Amino acid sequence: MNATAPVVLAIDAMGGDHGLKTTVDAALLALAEFSTLQLILVGDERQILAALKKRKAAADALARIAVQHASEVVAMDEAPSKALRNKKDSSMRVAINLVRDGRAQAIVSAGNTGALMATAKFVLKTMPGIDRPAMISPIPSMNGHVHMLDLGANAECNADQLFQFAVMGSALLTATQGIAEPRVALLNIGEEEIKGNEVIKQCAQLLQTSKLNYVGFIEGDGVFLRDVDVVVCDGFTGNIALKTGEGVAKLIYHFIKQEFTRSPLTKLAALAAMPALKALGKRMDPRNYNGASFVGVNGIVIKSHGSADAPAFVAAIRAALREVENDVPTRIAHLLVDALPQSAAA
Amino acid sequence: MNATAPVVLAIDAMGGDHGLKTTVDAALLALAEFSTLQLILVGDERQILAALKKRKAAADALARIAVQHASEVVAMDEAPSKALRNKKDSSMRVAINLVRDGRAQAIVSAGNTGALMATAKFVLKTMPGIDRPAMISPIPSMNGHVHMLDLGANAECNADQLFQFAVMGSALLTATQGIAEPRVALLNIGEEEIKGNEVIKQCAQLLQTSKLNYVGFIEGDGVFLRDVDVVVCDGFTGNIALKTGEGVAKLIYHFIKQEFTRSPLTKLAALAAMPALKALGKRMDPRNYNGASFVGVNGIVIKSHGSADAPAFVAAIRAALREVENDVPTRIAHLLVDALPQSAAA
């Protein structure tokens, strides 16, 4: 990445399963990696300063850190509506405010997904023609990567909303990867037209008559094996698919370890196989894919996995930098005007 | 398996992506494996006899094969309602009739899932208190296996139906594996109580006040990593989760191959690692898990993957034999009377 112009990111320092333990370490790692990066750590000022002091951060890094006090924290299991109503001084809310006010170009949070979504939508507002923002992330596939949305922000969706996800996903790929006509597929339980529930069937009709490069239904295995650019689904299905994939990867990793430690002979073989196994482990490591983007709001909001460790959280910071560099929300907003004529006009 | 008493299975010989090519090979493999097995191959008599002749089957095997003619075939993309209404002489329907008439103890089909479900329900009827049959199958997990249902027979379900799936899954585990109180979990996008859609939340309440050993929500990764016995979900989610898992396993297998063929050195390492890699491949092979059971109908109906090859189809035949040996439908029906007091009384 060539980040020469200074970039300011807001970090929800209290969010996630591990809070400051992860975010402060990640902040220092990211500042070391990107020399023009500036971070605003949002949360309990006293705790943040203590955490920074304890880590004996370099003067150069400290000079690029600002602390913004916020007196509250959104709990990981808090109802989004309650967080939105009652916690106006939460680290999450204050960090998103910084984006709204132009003081930060993006916000990264490992906090409560539903609350992040509700707050981002409330503070930053959705783009014209979009009912609900969606969570999108690249996931590894046979031919590189596929982008999937929604990954868990919207548990229930109607056909119009799924269609909007398709438009946003397509626009994101055009904006960030220069793909003129991204191939869009709809996740379903079969590739035949008669399969699926009513919402899926209605959305398929909308896609077929749209300007998008719609390639039809895709099944769960196809997400990883077929060559498409965007896979569309509701947040319930997307979250289940994503986490199922993570679970299977961990299970296979466990099997590999078992098979290679079964006997002295296989242990010897493991030594010989170590470089290949290490390379494999790196490719399978979900931490490399951490950092989902909320598309559809007027601003860059990156959601880290709640259980992310510091290197994984840095991956989310990298994702934020990529979106800042590509000015993603502005470009998506432009593309939406063209792709969503009826809704945008409404 | 100790199958001493003769068992008669009906095989939908025309079903699946490969029809007779797979089913006839599988039949001969299964007859060689189980000396007391008898098969009724259902489908186009002329084609079945030609296929048997071509394979030069041993006389001992041929003596245990009967052919039942059926003039029609349900297409893989045919609407279930149409198949049910218009194809009364399909290989699938005639094979299920054999179970209803007591001529076969179970039926195995790789045909259209929705049509198999609709036909089995219509011909065999559901058990008292059960609205819809569900598809259940063991899938590999960290501690051995977990049974998941529904895997794709019911794309949309209400809370009562999901609850019935939980009861049937629990009863199946008690009937086949002797587990007194199977641990039942509900698939969701978070483990906190506030997560998920309305149907999931309602079903969780039903489970909490039931006699079942309900252990709460489980996420997609937990299916493979946590130690539970039964995972309950609607057929849409279950099918996506199952196929996503298959896709990730294939992707990782592809990555392993790539890493071990990257250089002469890694190719040498692959030779040393071959026994461990082969053992791994065997454990990951989804063909070993082929054969989902339809629970909730009065009879044993086993669904093979549509794209199964002959060894995979044999795995489905083995699943049918296990259910016959354990007299599963009778035992589930007994357990349901106790677990579903309100519905069964209705």
Side-chain angles (χ1 to χ4, degrees):
Chain A
M1 182 165 305
N2 174 20
T4 45
V7 175
V8 182
L9 302 183
I11 306 290
D12 170 9
M14 316 303 282
D17 298 343
H18 314 300
L20 286 173
K21 267 187 214 163
T22 293
T23 54
V24 172
D25 282 338
L28 295 174
L29 286 171
L31 290 167
E33 185 173 334
F34 300 101
S35 61
T36 57
L37 177 64
Q38 300 177 18
L39 296 177
I40 306 176
L41 302 184
V42 184
D44 186 289
E45 187 168 22
R46 201 183 47 78
Q47 287 184 44
I48 295 174
L49 291 176
L52 284 170
K53 197 170 172 188
K54 199 171 147 197
R55 280 163 183 80
K56 301 193 178 78
D60 160 64
L62 281 175
R64 288 182 284 132
I65 292 180
V67 176
Q68 174 74 48
H69 182 67
S71 62
E72 295 171 312
V73 178
V74 174
M76 292 305 272
D77 60 351
E78 197 162 346
S81 55
K82 282 193 183 165
L84 191 58
R85 200 167 47 237
N86 304 331
K87 296 225 171 138
K88 291 185 183 158
D89 199 39
S90 73
S91 57
M92 182 188 281
R93 176 77 166 262
V94 173
I96 294 174
N97 288 345
L98 293 175
V99 175
R100 180 198 60 196
D101 300 341
R103 290 181 52 202
Q105 289 155 280
I107 176 237
V108 182
S109 174
N112 181 324
T113 307
L116 185 64
M117 154 87 167
T119 309
K121 194 181 160 189
F122 179 80
V123 173
L124 301 173
K125 312 297 176 202
T126 50
M127 293 177 177
I130 299 300
D131 293 341
R132 296 188 192 172
M135 232 165 100
I136 186 167
S137 177
I139 54 177
S141 75
M142 200 66 99
N143 294 291
H145 293 92
V146 58
H147 279 70
M148 192 159 167
L149 79 169
D150 175 41
L151 291 176
N154 307 283
E156 284 170 288
C157 301
N158 62 33
D160 283 331
Q161 288 159 351
L162 287 181
F163 177 68
Q164 292 166 15
F165 295 171
V167 173
M168 291 193 289
S170 180
L172 180 81
L173 272 276
T174 302
T176 59
Q177 324 225 340
I179 304 173
E181 297 194 324
R183 293 156 296 180
V184 176
L186 190 56
L187 187 61
N188 198 359
I189 58 173
E191 293 183 4
E192 304 90 4
E193 283 195 12
I194 58 145
K195 293 288 180 70
N197 54 39
E198 280 315 306
V199 170
I200 298 280
K201 286 178 197 169
Q202 283 172 27
C203 182
Q205 287 190 333
L206 291 174
L207 286 166
Q208 268 153 9
T209 53
S210 76
K211 293 179 192 168
L212 296 181
N213 182 11
Y214 174 60
V215 298
F217 292 139
I218 195 165
E219 295 190 70
D221 52 346
V223 173
F224 301 91
L225 306 176
R226 282 177 56 188
D227 199 8
V228 302
D229 299 304
V230 177
V231 172
V232 175
C233 57
D234 65 67
F236 190 92
T237 311
N239 180 284
I240 297 287
L242 187 73
K243 292 206 171 153
T244 297
E246 282 178 23
V248 171
K250 280 184 191 163
L251 180 67
I252 292 174
Y253 187 76
H254 172 75
F255 283 173
I256 291 175
K257 252 172 122 175
Q258 275 190 337
E259 292 304 337
F260 276 105
T261 52
R262 203 173 278 287
S263 73
L265 214 65
T266 57
K267 281 181 192 165
L268 257 177
L271 276 181
M274 200 49 80
L277 290 177
K278 274 202 172 151
L280 176 71
K282 218 170 168 180
R283 284 175 82 169
M284 283 169 59
D285 191 345
R287 298 186 306 173
N288 296 330
Y289 302 97
N290 189 38
S293 175
F294 275 19
V295 285
V297 290
N298 298 300
I300 299 170
V301 181
I302 302 293
K303 165 75 175 97
S304 159
H305 206 297
S307 67
D309 61 8
F313 197 89
V314 172
I317 292 177
R318 279 189 213 108
L321 285 168
R322 269 195 302 275
E323 300 225 352
V324 171
E325 268 198 344
N326 288 296
D327 196 10
V328 168
T330 311
R331 296 173 72 175
I332 290 187
H334 278 299
L335 289 163
L336 285 186
V337 173
D338 189 47
L340 277 172
Q342 305 103 326
S343 318
Chain B
M1 183 165 305
N2 175 21
T4 45
V7 175
V8 182
L9 302 183
I11 306 289
D12 170 9
M14 316 303 282
D17 298 344
H18 314 301
L20 285 174
K21 268 188 211 159
T22 292
T23 54
V24 172
D25 283 338
L28 295 174
L29 285 171
L31 289 167
E33 185 173 333
F34 300 101
S35 61
T36 56
L37 177 63
Q38 300 178 18
L39 296 177
I40 307 177
L41 302 184
V42 185
D44 185 289
E45 186 169 23
R46 201 183 46 78
Q47 287 183 44
I48 293 174
L49 291 175
L52 284 170
K53 197 171 173 188
K54 200 170 146 197
R55 279 161 184 81
K56 300 193 178 77
D60 159 64
L62 282 177
R64 288 182 285 134
I65 291 180
V67 176
Q68 174 73 48
H69 182 67
S71 62
E72 295 170 313
V73 178
V74 175
M76 291 305 272
D77 60 351
E78 198 163 348
S81 55
K82 282 194 184 165
L84 191 59
R85 200 166 48 237
N86 303 331
K87 296 225 171 137
K88 292 188 183 157
D89 199 38
S90 73
S91 57
M92 183 188 281
R93 176 77 166 261
V94 173
I96 294 175
N97 288 345
L98 292 175
V99 175
R100 179 198 60 197
D101 300 341
R103 289 181 53 203
Q105 289 155 280
I107 174 236
V108 182
S109 174
N112 181 324
T113 306
L116 185 65
M117 154 86 168
T119 309
K121 194 180 159 189
F122 179 80
V123 173
L124 301 174
K125 312 297 177 203
T126 50
M127 293 176 177
I130 299 299
D131 293 340
R132 297 188 191 169
M135 233 166 100
I136 186 167
S137 176
I139 54 177
S141 75
M142 200 66 97
N143 293 291
H145 293 91
V146 59
H147 280 70
M148 193 159 164
L149 80 168
D150 174 39
L151 291 176
N154 307 283
E156 285 171 287
C157 301
N158 62 33
D160 283 331
Q161 288 158 351
L162 287 181
F163 177 68
Q164 292 166 16
F165 295 171
V167 172
M168 291 193 289
S170 180
L172 180 82
L173 271 276
T174 301
T176 60
Q177 324 225 340
I179 303 173
E181 298 194 324
R183 291 156 299 180
V184 176
L186 190 56
L187 187 61
N188 198 0
I189 59 173
E191 293 183 5
E192 304 89 4
E193 283 196 12
I194 58 145
K195 293 287 179 70
N197 54 40
E198 281 314 307
V199 170
I200 298 279
K201 287 178 197 169
Q202 283 171 26
C203 182
Q205 287 190 333
L206 292 174
L207 286 166
Q208 268 153 9
T209 53
S210 76
K211 293 180 192 168
L212 296 180
N213 183 12
Y214 174 60
V215 298
F217 292 138
I218 195 165
E219 295 189 70
D221 53 346
V223 173
F224 301 91
L225 307 176
R226 281 178 55 188
D227 198 9
V228 302
D229 299 304
V230 178
V231 172
V232 175
C233 57
D234 66 67
F236 190 91
T237 311
N239 180 285
I240 297 287
L242 187 74
K243 292 204 171 154
T244 297
E246 281 178 25
V248 170
K250 280 183 192 164
L251 180 67
I252 293 175
Y253 187 75
H254 171 75
F255 283 173
I256 291 175
K257 251 171 123 175
Q258 275 190 338
E259 292 304 337
F260 276 105
T261 52
R262 203 173 276 288
S263 72
L265 214 65
T266 56
K267 280 181 192 165
L268 257 177
L271 277 181
M274 200 49 81
L277 290 177
K278 274 201 172 152
L280 176 71
K282 217 170 168 180
R283 284 175 82 170
M284 283 169 58
D285 191 344
R287 299 186 305 175
N288 296 331
Y289 302 98
N290 189 37
S293 175
F294 275 21
V295 285
V297 290
N298 298 300
I300 299 169
V301 180
I302 303 292
K303 165 76 175 95
S304 159
H305 207 298
S307 67
D309 61 8
F313 197 89
V314 172
I317 292 177
R318 278 189 215 111
L321 284 169
R322 269 195 302 275
E323 299 223 354
V324 171
E325 267 198 345
N326 287 295
D327 196 10
V328 167
T330 311
R331 295 173 71 176
I332 289 187
H334 278 299
L335 289 164
L336 285 185
V337 173
D338 188 47
L340 277 172
Q342 305 103 326
S343 318

